[in-house]
């Protein structure tokens, strides 16, 4: 992971967003970007001196766009814009989300298309590099014009106002945090208020983090499938490359390849090849997992395509064009990002739903091919993992609700000037919750399959599955009498969430898809 991210006039990568948001990579400004910023600012300064009104430079905003503002009032205009728009409410938004938002706003500012002053964007970079995180509240963004309220909270901190957390997570007044880091509060000039708050950076930052997380989680979900196939005495024959090639879906092929790698050389699978039990075909939750997980991968690919385009965008209104015009536009509308955020929430719910069905199957003696009821030590006295499945089912039910799209729920604002909005921020917030839920559902399957594989002894699982069982056993005891289950679920969920389950399998098998 990069420790320095150099931001220029071109796009950032998703890996850059992750490096800064999660791992505190330092941000540096490219020299070409400095020149582009100064060139566009000269255009804004010339228009500011014009007696004719220009939107966002010498006028009000939104429904007040036709109101001319005299020169001596324009600094107050910018302050008022930021203060009034920093109107969020509710719980604090996570640090990594705010850092991703700040980075992406810096990226747009450095395209040279917004008219920001170089000194202002340098102060923004200093704020981010100092680890100062503005306190942003959960509710306030409608996703058009972009993420106004969250971005305004960040701009407010840049002005030395509002609330922040320092690098140690201590809440304090922004003025105190800036003073401690010797950062001078910014006095905004013409156009700068708009440039700081008019963008899709909040929803895009969360989309970037989600794509990164889902790629890891879908590999982990494939690993869980393979472990469940072994635990349920299933077959690997359906994952053969020639069968998968009959339906040439790209993601499906990748998922099936993972399953073949995980199940290769499995003594458990070999123990019933040719099959000696009476099941002719495995259940869909086993047999069709490459089709579902593959479709999920293809959806993530589509989301990454959209994210890549947005990462290459200069979203502001008005915008300074390449040939020097200052034009109003509608590029701040979050629809492209909002749609894929909703699409990914559907994918997450479906992958989790399939995982929960496999967990349930391992606990049911009528369908588990010889495993004890609920994998209990003494069924009747012990409940085993019965209620772990309840937990997974409860999460899946919530994920289905979170899969309802936000992007169709437009609520007009600004005296009907903004009469159609994207609700992309809401889509991003529910997707983050959904991804957390998926990691827990997959963890419960991994925990259940690990116990089931232990109970198949003396038969041994594949090398990949054995590595994951060993990892789990480092956190959670094996089969035995009932014990306090919640800490065990949380421990395995942590392993899944930080990629340790994937890493354990890859330590034996090499890289998986």
């Amino acid at each position: 992971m990069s420790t320095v991210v150099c931001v220029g006039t071109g796009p950032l990568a998703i890996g850059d967003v992750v490096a800064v948001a999660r791992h505190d990579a330092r941000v540096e400004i490219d020299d070409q970007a400095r020149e582009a910023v100064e060139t566009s600012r000269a255009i804004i300064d010339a228009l500011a001196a014009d007696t004719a009104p220009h939107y966002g430079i010498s006028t009000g905003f939104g429904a007040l766009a036709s109101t001319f503002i005299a020169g001596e009032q324009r600094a107050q205009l910018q302050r008022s814009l930021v203060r009034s728009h920093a109107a969020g409410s509710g719980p604090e938004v996570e640090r990594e989300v705010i850092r991703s938002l700040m980075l992406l706003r810096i990226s747009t500012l450095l395209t040279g298309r917004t008219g920001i002053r170089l000194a202002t964007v340098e102060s923004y970079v200093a704020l981010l590099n100092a680890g100062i995180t503005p306190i942003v509240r959960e509710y306030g963004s409608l996703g058009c014009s972009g993420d106004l309220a969250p971005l305004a909270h960040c701009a407010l901190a840049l002005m030395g106002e509002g609330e922040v957390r320092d690098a140690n997570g201590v809440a304090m007044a922004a003025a105190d945090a800036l003073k401690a880091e010797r950062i001078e509060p910014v006095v905004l000039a013409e156009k700068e208020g708009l440039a700081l708050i008019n963008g899709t950076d909040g929803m895009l930052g969360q989309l970037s983090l989600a794509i990164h997380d889902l790629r890891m989680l879908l590999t982990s979900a494939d690993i869980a499938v393979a472990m469940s196939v072994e635990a349920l005495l299933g077959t690997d024959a359906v994952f053969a490359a020639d069968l998968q090639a009959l339906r040439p879906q790209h993601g499906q092929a990748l998922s099936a390849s993972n399953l073949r790698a995980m199940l290769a050389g499995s003594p458990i699978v070999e123990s019933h090849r040719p099959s000696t039990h009476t099941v002719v075909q495995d259940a869909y939750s086993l047999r069709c997992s490459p089709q579902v997980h593959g479709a999920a991968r293809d959806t993530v690919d589509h989301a990454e395509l959209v994210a890549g385009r947005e990462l290459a965008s200069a979203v502001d209104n008005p915008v300074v064009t390449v040939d020097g015009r200052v034009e109003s536009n509608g590029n701040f509308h979050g629809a492209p990002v909002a749609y894929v955020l909703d699409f990914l929430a559907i994918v997450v719910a479906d992958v989790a739903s399939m995982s929960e069905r496999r967990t349930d199957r391992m606990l049911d003696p009528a369908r588990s091919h010889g495993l004890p009821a609920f994998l209990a030590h003494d069924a009747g006295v012990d409940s085993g993992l019965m209620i772990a499945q309840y937990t997974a089912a409860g999460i899946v039910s919530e994920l289905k609700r979170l899969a309802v799209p936000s992007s169709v729920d437009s609520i007009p604002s600004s005296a009907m000037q903004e009469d159609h909005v994207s609700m992309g921020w809401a889509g991003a917030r529910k997707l983050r919750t959904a991804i957390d839920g998926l990691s827990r559902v997959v963890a419960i399957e991994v925990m259940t399959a690990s116990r089931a594989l232990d109970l198949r002894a003396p038969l041994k699982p594949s090398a990949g599955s054995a590595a994951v069982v060993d990892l789990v056993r480092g956190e959670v005891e094996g089969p035995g009498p009932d014990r306090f289950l919640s800490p065990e679920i949380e421990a395995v969920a942590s392993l899944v969430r930080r990629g340790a389950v994937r890493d354990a399998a890859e330590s034996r098998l090499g890289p998986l898809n």
Side-chain angles (χ1 to χ4, degrees):
M1 186 68 68
S2 176
T3 58
V4 176
V5 171
C6 186
V7 184
T9 58
L12 293 170
I14 286 176
D16 296 328
V17 178
V18 175
V20 172
R22 287 192 177 154
H23 305 293
D24 293 345
R26 183 173 180 81
V27 173
E28 296 181 353
I29 302 175
D30 177 76
D31 288 341
Q32 185 179 5
R34 292 177 185 275
E35 295 176 9
V37 167
E38 291 182 323
T39 298
S40 65
R41 184 62 206 181
I43 295 169
I44 298 300
D45 286 340
L47 291 175
D50 193 352
T51 55
H54 298 277
Y55 176 67
I57 300 170
S58 53
T59 72
F61 313 107
L64 303 176
S66 59
T67 303
F68 181 79
I69 307 296
E72 64 273 11
Q73 295 179 298
R74 291 176 191 168
Q76 181 60 41
L77 171 69
Q78 302 302 317
R79 285 195 297 271
S80 295
L81 173 71
V82 172
R83 288 168 177 168
S84 64
H85 283 55
S89 182
E92 287 184 41
V93 176
E94 304 88 351
R95 180 179 188 268
E96 67 175 29
V97 171
I98 305 311
R99 287 183 60 81
S100 71
L101 175 155
M102 294 170 72
L103 172 67
L104 294 175
R105 184 65 341 209
I106 289 166
S107 179
T108 284
L109 296 174
L110 290 175
T111 62
R113 305 274 67 84
T114 72
I116 198 82
R117 291 176 301 162
L118 180 59
T120 301
V121 70
E122 286 176 334
S123 293
Y124 210 150
V125 170
L127 193 75
L128 186 60
N129 284 340
I132 298 172
T133 306
I135 291 178
V136 175
R137 303 292 173 180
E138 180 85 20
Y139 304 107
S141 175
L142 300 182
C144 190
S145 301
D147 295 312
L148 289 173
L151 283 163
H153 279 271
C154 296
L156 192 69
L158 191 61
M159 292 163 48
E161 300 181 24
E163 304 171 294
V164 302
R165 291 190 181 275
D166 68 6
N168 297 316
V170 177
M172 62 179 64
D176 294 336
L178 267 61
K179 183 177 181 180
E181 295 294 334
R182 299 181 180 178
I183 300 171
E184 284 294 320
V186 173
V187 178
L188 301 179
E190 291 93 345
K191 176 67 175 62
E192 291 194 303
L194 279 177
L196 288 168
I197 71 172
N198 223 321
T200 57
D201 308 292
M203 63 184 91
L204 177 59
Q206 290 174 89
L207 175 61
S208 300
L209 294 170
I211 290 168
H212 176 270
D213 292 344
L214 282 172
R215 294 220 177 273
M216 179 275 295
L217 282 174
L218 289 174
T219 302
S220 301
D222 284 343
I223 292 167
V225 171
M227 295 174 70
S228 295
V229 167
E230 289 186 280
L232 289 164
L233 302 182
T235 178
D236 62 351
V238 294
F239 307 132
D242 60 343
L243 294 177
Q244 301 298 317
L246 296 175
R247 191 188 198 187
Q249 297 284 358
H250 179 65
Q252 178 178 327
L254 295 177
S255 180
S257 175
N258 283 345
L259 292 172
R260 291 195 299 274
M262 279 291 297
L263 294 169
S266 166
I268 294 179
V269 171
E270 293 299 328
S271 72
H272 54 277
R273 190 200 310 275
S275 180
T276 55
H277 61 76
T278 58
V279 176
V280 177
Q281 298 180 116
D282 288 332
Y284 285 8
S285 60
L286 302 174
R287 187 172 15 136
C288 301
S289 55
Q291 286 74 18
V292 173
H293 290 190
R297 277 183 164 78
D298 292 340
T299 303
V300 174
D301 286 345
H302 172 64
E304 186 162 354
L305 175 66
V306 173
R309 291 168 177 164
E310 198 73 3
L311 287 165
S313 301
V315 177
D316 193 14
N317 184 47
V319 68
V320 182
T321 65
V322 175
D323 61 1
R325 301 181 342 268
V326 177
E327 298 284 359
S328 293
N329 66 92
N331 286 337
F332 49 72
H333 197 290
V337 180
Y339 293 159
V340 294
L341 288 164
D342 283 338
F343 200 173
L344 290 177
I346 293 170
V347 162
V348 166
D350 203 37
V351 172
S353 177
M354 199 177 219
S355 173
E356 182 276 331
R357 288 294 80 205
R358 291 188 295 267
T359 295
D360 180 69
R361 185 166 287 270
M362 286 183 278
L363 301 179
D364 182 357
R367 295 177 290 151
S368 66
H369 305 295
L371 291 171
F374 304 108
L375 308 186
H377 178 72
D378 184 2
V381 174
D382 293 315
S383 295
L385 299 183
M386 178 194 293
I387 309 303
Q389 182 266 327
Y390 286 30
T391 301
I395 294 170
V396 168
S397 182
E398 176 66 14
L399 296 185
K400 292 175 182 177
R401 289 191 288 273
L402 293 171
V404 175
S406 293
S407 55
V408 297
D409 187 26
S410 176
I411 297 180
S413 58
S414 193
M416 293 299 286
Q417 176 73 4
E418 298 172 8
D419 59 353
H420 185 277
V421 298
S422 76
M423 301 304 294
W425 173 271
R429 299 307 294 157
K430 68 184 180 67
L431 179 59
R432 281 183 67 81
T433 303
I435 289 173
D436 177 71
L438 174 61
S439 69
R440 295 173 188 279
V441 173
V442 171
I444 289 170
E445 181 182 1
V446 167
M447 185 176 74
T448 303
S450 295
R451 183 182 287 205
L453 290 171
D454 283 341
L455 292 169
R456 290 294 183 193
L459 289 174
K460 294 186 179 297
S462 69
S465 294
V468 176
V469 173
D470 289 345
L471 173 72
V472 171
R473 289 292 160 260
E475 302 285 337
V476 172
E477 293 181 22
D482 283 355
R483 52 189 183 256
F484 185 20
L485 205 53
S486 178
E488 298 190 358
I489 294 173
E490 293 302 299
V492 182
S494 177
L495 295 176
V496 170
R497 196 159 40 241
R498 65 177 189 260
V501 166
R502 177 202 57 192
D503 294 346
E506 290 185 336
S507 70
R508 302 283 181 90
L509 305 176
L512 296 170
N513 298 308

